[in-house]
Amino acid sequence: MGVTVAPVGAWFFAWVALAPLWVIVVKYTNKSLPPAFLWAIAYHGIALSWITGIHPMNWLGVPWWPSLFITIFCWSFISLWGGLLVSLWAFLMVRLDKQKSWLRVLIGTALWCGLESLWSSGSLWWSSLSYTQSPHNLVILHLGQVSGPNTVTAVIVAVNGLVAESWIYNLTQRRKGAKEEKKETKTSVFSASLWFVNKYLISAIILLMISHFLGFVLYSQPLNNHENSGLKIGVIQGNIPNEIKLLPQGFRRAITNYTNGYLTLVNQGVDGVLTPEGALPLYERNFQNTPLLDAVKDKGVVVWIGGFGERGRSYTNSLFGVNGKGEVTSRYDKSKLVPLGEFVPFEEVIGALVQRLSPLDEHQVHGAKNQVFDTPLGRVIVGICYESAFSEIFRYQAFNGGKFILSSSNDAHYTAAMADQHHAQDIMRAIETDRWAVRATNTGYSAFVDPHGRTLWKSGYNSYETHAEIIYPRQTQTLYVRLRDWLMPLLLVLGFLRWFVTK
């Protein structure tokens, strides 16, 4: 399961990679928790191995050995956190060892989706089973329009569960028929070759086909873009390495790259320009003293600037909307901060043990849970970096009138695999909300994505680039946007009722 995502991208393994663990949990109930824990650590540890790219953190002034310690600690912590999720799932599944196979599949699927929902409601979340299909299997990702990423996760878990139950059923049947087979002198070659075909495997194949068919129906829907409603949006990939980002030469390079990039895009006739997370390492009150704001006042084209906001003695990681007069008219504060990177969980307990990785001396604080972002081009959906993994943030803004997505990120701390996975997350958010997405990153990958998840343009990596595309604001609302994740509670209720009846 760990190689289903970037950099390998073997997404097809996701449809069978959970089945062996399922068999172990069902057949070896008393010994299943250690394998479940190891399976989870392998999955999350491999998928999130890009976090090791933060070492060395010399750009933050962290010495080599402490940097290595922090990196190992972070990697271990997120792997163990994923291990806890799957171990809890296995523990609950063991309680169902006397239940029928069909009920196990229903409840096992519901439990997995419920646990993913619980984990994603917290601060530490990234590697849902659903994102194993992005960006390659766009057809199945369209089921996210029905009930969010849990719809895709549910299908993956259910198919794996049916494959596992097929294996368990055949093992049981072969043991029952072992005595009779010993009495036979010859076994039918035809029967032996089809011993694995049974109702569970057939059901898995049918579910796989039906889910992809439904996804294809949604994928095939025309976008119905109206030419007179199009907006030409530009992005600037500043390519300011973290090693110099906070130094004077880094600041000068940022001012030069973003000012020149803005002017280049304005000359191409854009309606708005998006910059990456923290493009200007300044507080909002200092924006007016920069050549970039002078250029905005001169050209009159809207720009969205990544910078820092103030809240008392603390600060926020924010995206600011600047109108054609150079006035800041809107502000979105990042609400999902990176644990240990942007804030310390239980800081009063472990704060002294973990050195913060923040670029500023003050404490970074969370933005409000529910925000909207109004601009001269209409209300839009905003996600800053890590927030791309939290679908509810995008769903809420789409429900409240956001017409397209602005994703502003700085993935320069990590490896290219992380940048690819981040792009994959934004593809899912574009599909689920039925919105065009504009991605601006510091070092890559910046991109434009249409509502079907198709990447229209993707930047290079570690390169300075500007690019413009025409996007189309949309006001449609998918079933997921209107009703949230209704599938997960439905599965839990159905599973519980069925379990209660058969108890």
Side-chain angles (χ1 to χ4, degrees), residues 16 51 62 70 82 99 134 168 200 243 249 264 272 284 313 350 405 410 449 469:
V16 294
I51 199 171
V62 180
I70 292 172
Q99 301 301 323
S134 185
I168 294 169
Y200 300 109
E243 290 78 8
Q249 61 265 39
T264 297
E284 173 196 346
R313 298 181 62 183
I350 66 172
I405 296 172
N410 179 14
V449 179
E469 288 280 350

Side-chain angles (χ1 to χ4, degrees), residues 43-95:
Y43 168 49
H44 294 280
I46 294 172
L48 302 178
S49 60
W50 45 258
I51 199 171
T52 58
I54 64 176
H55 175 71
M57 290 178 280
N58 52 357
W59 59 282
L60 286 175
V62 180
W64 198 91
W65 282 109
S67 172
L68 179 62
F69 171 79
I70 292 172
T71 301
I72 294 175
F73 176 81
C74 291
W75 191 17
S76 301
F77 187 86
I78 60 176
S79 300
L80 292 173
W81 186 242
L84 181 61
L85 182 152
V86 181
S87 297
L88 183 55
W89 173 81
F91 173 79
L92 296 172
M93 283 288 287
V94 167
R95 309 279 80 80

Side-chain angles (χ1 to χ4, degrees), residues 121-124 309-311 314-318 331-340 342-347 363-371 386-387 390 393:
S121 66
S123 297
L124 186 58
E310 295 176 274
R311 189 185 298 172
S314 301
Y315 76 97
T316 58
N317 184 347
S318 307
R331 166 178 165 181
Y332 177 90
D333 298 331
K334 186 177 182 179
S335 61
K336 288 290 186 179
L337 305 183
V338 181
L340 302 177
E342 294 176 314
F343 82 103
V344 178
F346 313 110
E347 187 170 3
H363 287 271
Q364 184 170 337
V365 292
H366 296 263
K369 184 178 180 180
N370 296 323
Q371 303 175 63
Y386 181 53
E387 292 183 320
F390 298 87
I393 293 175

Side-chain angles (χ1 to χ4, degrees), residues 32 34 50 52 63 137 140 182 213-214 219 228 243 251 258 263 280 286 302 322 374 390 404 411 420 422 430 458 489:
S32 61
W50 45 258
T52 58
N137 192 355
I140 200 66
K182 288 181 180 179
F213 174 75
L214 294 176
Y219 179 75
N228 58 353
E243 290 78 8
F251 177 75
Y258 290 113
L263 294 173
L280 297 185
N286 295 322
V302 172
V322 181
D374 291 310
F390 298 87
F404 56 91
D411 298 334
D420 260 325
H422 200 164
K458 184 178 178 183

Side-chain angles (χ1 to χ4, degrees), residues 159 162-163 200-211:
V159 168
L162 289 169
V163 171
Y200 300 109
L201 183 61
I202 293 174
S203 297
I205 295 173
I206 292 175
L207 176 59
L208 189 65
M209 294 175 63
I210 290 177
S211 60

Side-chain angles (χ1 to χ4, degrees), residues 159-178:
V159 168
N160 275 274
L162 289 169
V163 171
E165 294 297 340
S166 170
W167 185 267
I168 294 169
Y169 174 82
N170 281 315
L171 287 177
T172 304
Q173 292 302 110
R174 292 188 75 181
R175 287 169 183 168
K176 288 181 179 180

Side-chain angles (χ1 to χ4, degrees), residues 262-279:
Y262 174 83
L263 294 173
T264 297
L265 291 168
V266 168
N267 290 335
Q268 295 176 18
V270 299
D271 298 296
V273 177
L274 177 64
T275 68
E277 173 189 26

Side-chain angles (χ1 to χ4, degrees), residues 253-440:
R253 182 168 166 180
I255 291 296
T256 299
N257 285 1
Y258 290 113
T259 303
N260 290 342
Y262 174 83
L263 294 173
T264 297
L265 291 168
V266 168
N267 290 335
Q268 295 176 18
V270 299
D271 298 296
V273 177
L274 177 64
T275 68
E277 173 189 26
L280 297 185
L282 299 171
Y283 287 118
E284 173 196 346
R285 55 183 158 86
N286 295 322
F287 283 0
Q288 295 297 331
N289 302 320
T290 64
L292 176 57
L293 265 291
D294 292 338
V296 174
K297 295 173 185 177
D298 180 47
K299 299 298 183 180
V301 175
V302 172
V303 63
W304 299 290
I305 302 176
F308 298 112
E310 295 176 274
R311 189 185 298 172
R313 298 181 62 183
S314 301
Y315 76 97
T316 58
N317 184 347
S318 307
L319 186 71
F320 299 94
V322 181
N323 65 15
K325 298 179 181 179
E327 302 167 338
V328 176
T329 58
S330 51
R331 166 178 165 181
Y332 177 90
D333 298 331
K334 186 177 182 179
S335 61
K336 288 290 186 179
L337 305 183
V338 181
L340 302 177
E342 294 176 314
F343 82 103
V344 178
F346 313 110
E347 187 170 3
E348 63 278 6
V349 179
I350 66 172
L353 301 178
V354 181
Q355 181 177 348
R356 280 190 305 116
L357 309 183
S358 167
L360 301 179
D361 293 333
E362 296 84 354
H363 287 271
Q364 184 170 337
V365 292
H366 296 263
K369 184 178 180 180
N370 296 323
Q371 303 175 63
V372 294
F373 192 76
D374 291 310
T375 79
L377 301 181
R379 179 168 290 183
V380 301
I381 303 166
V382 176
I384 299 180
C385 200
Y386 181 53
E387 292 183 320
S388 293
F390 298 87
S391 59
E392 174 58 24
I393 293 175
F394 294 75
R395 187 213 66 81
Y396 174 84
Q397 294 182 72
F399 180 77
N400 284 278
K403 297 180 180 179
F404 56 91
I405 296 172
L406 297 178
S407 178
S408 179
S409 306
N410 179 14
D411 298 334
H413 330 294
Y414 310 107
T415 67
M418 190 277 178
D420 260 325
Q421 289 186 24
H422 200 164
H423 178 60
Q425 296 277 15
D426 279 338
I427 285 175
M428 294 174 64
R429 307 294 86 87
I431 294 173
E432 293 157 3
T433 58
D434 192 36
R435 295 293 188 270
W436 291 77
V438 182
R439 302 194 69 234

